[in-house]
Amino acid sequence: MLNKEKEQRQGGGGGGGGGGGERKSFIKGYAIKADVRHYFETVDQAILFTLIQKRIKDEPLLHLIKQILTNFDARIPGKGMPLGNLTSQFFANIYLNELDQFVKHQLKVNYYLRYVDDFVIIHRDKTQLEKYKLEINTFLLEKLKITLHPEKSKIIPLSRGIPLLGFRVFYYHKQLRKGAVRRITARLNEWKVLSDLGLMEQEKALERLLGWMAYAVQGNTYYLRKKIMAKFSNDFPTKDQEDN
């Protein structure tokens, strides 16, 4: 824990990043950072149900799953699944497990990571990544009837960092993206207004802030977290602070 905090102090300034700039020129290679276009809205329900049937044999359960899918108010008949439903992440992973198997066993990619419909592939050769991207898009279109997002699926140098789950991930450190910093600042201001109106208790605001802190600590954000906590303490003084 101490080592982690030490690393974050060394790398964490401003928006949660900093450090490592003098070393980034030594990081060679590229990454595909991609996601599926309108994923939850365009999943083919028939294909999804066929994939589920390969893993689940219980007929009453299959009947329930079919009801969940067909009762979904889809924009396109036969497409999509209920976003926010407890089954959605499960269904999403079953569907894109086909992509995982294709990437690992057909393309034989060594460095591959996927989170729901976001995925990253790392390789030294940019040309090879361009081939992977084309083959993946063809596979998704032919086998799963979905496509990569044309604007959000790019090949980027590793020296620029990989945007992933609200962070920009570098070889030596992780920066919290500027948008995430703006959002927590806006939320603090919103909670302050709600508190002044008597619509939010300090304990509730602190609970939400600690949830954000648990997320932010995954990056090099030591000084940013200190700054955010100082603002919170100023906006939500304790009784002892008010007495002083």
Side-chain angles (χ1 to χ4, degrees), residues 29-232:
Y30 298 86
I32 296 175
K33 168 59 176 67
D35 69 17
V36 176
R37 185 175 188 177
H38 304 310
Y39 178 52
F40 284 91
E41 298 173 15
T42 57
V43 163
D44 186 281
Q45 294 176 358
I47 294 174
L48 173 60
F49 192 72
T50 298
L51 294 173
I52 292 172
Q53 282 181 304
K54 292 180 180 179
R55 294 164 174 78
I56 298 175
K57 303 303 180 184
D58 185 90
E59 288 299 329
L61 181 55
L62 287 171
H63 177 71
L64 176 60
I65 291 171
K66 180 165 279 190
Q67 282 190 314
I68 291 171
L69 291 174
T70 55
N71 289 339
F72 171 57
D73 186 18
R75 289 171 50 189
I76 305 172
K79 296 282 188 177
M81 53 186 168
L83 185 61
N85 192 299
L86 292 175
T87 58
S88 295
Q89 294 253 347
F90 175 65
F91 291 162
N93 280 325
I94 287 180
Y95 204 75
L96 285 184
N97 177 63
E98 301 304 302
L99 171 63
D100 299 340
Q101 301 306 316
F102 174 73
V103 169
K104 296 301 293 182
H105 299 297
Q106 298 299 316
L107 300 183
K108 300 189 182 302
V109 169
N110 290 323
Y111 303 107
Y112 167 73
L113 176 150
R114 179 178 65 82
Y115 180 81
V116 191
D117 64 323
D118 286 327
F119 69 87
V120 174
I121 295 175
I122 296 174
H123 200 281
R124 287 182 177 274
D125 187 351
K126 185 178 181 181
T127 302
Q128 182 62 63
L129 287 177
E130 290 170 346
K131 292 178 181 177
Y132 286 157
K133 184 180 174 184
L134 180 61
E135 290 180 271
I136 287 171
N137 207 31
T138 300
F139 171 82
L140 292 175
L141 185 60
E142 292 180 353
K143 301 296 183 181
L144 298 177
K145 297 184 180 179
I146 52 179
T147 61
L148 295 179
H149 196 294
E151 297 175 5
K152 296 181 180 179
S153 303
K154 299 178 179 179
I155 297 173
I156 54 178
L158 292 179
S159 60
R160 284 174 45 192
I162 302 170
L164 185 67
L165 304 178
F167 292 92
R168 187 168 290 276
V169 182
F170 294 87
Y171 187 87
Y172 294 103
H173 65 286
K174 289 178 286 187
Q175 292 180 352
L176 195 62
R177 299 184 73 182
K178 292 179 180 178
V181 178
R182 287 195 296 269
R183 283 192 294 274
I184 188 58
T185 303
R187 285 174 187 168
L188 284 172
N189 294 333
E190 178 187 338
W191 300 340
K192 170 67 170 142
V193 171
L194 292 174
S195 177
D196 290 344
L197 293 173
L199 300 176
M200 176 179 282
E201 296 181 356
Q202 179 174 331
E203 291 76 10
K204 186 64 176 179
L206 179 60
E207 178 183 318
R208 293 184 178 182
L209 177 62
L210 292 178
W212 180 86
M213 289 284 188
Y215 161 72
V217 76
Q218 305 304 316
N220 297 76
T221 57
Y222 176 79
Y223 291 111
L224 173 64
R225 285 181 284 120
K226 282 188 67 175
K227 181 179 177 181
I228 294 295
M229 187 55 79
K231 176 173 171 54
F232 181 86

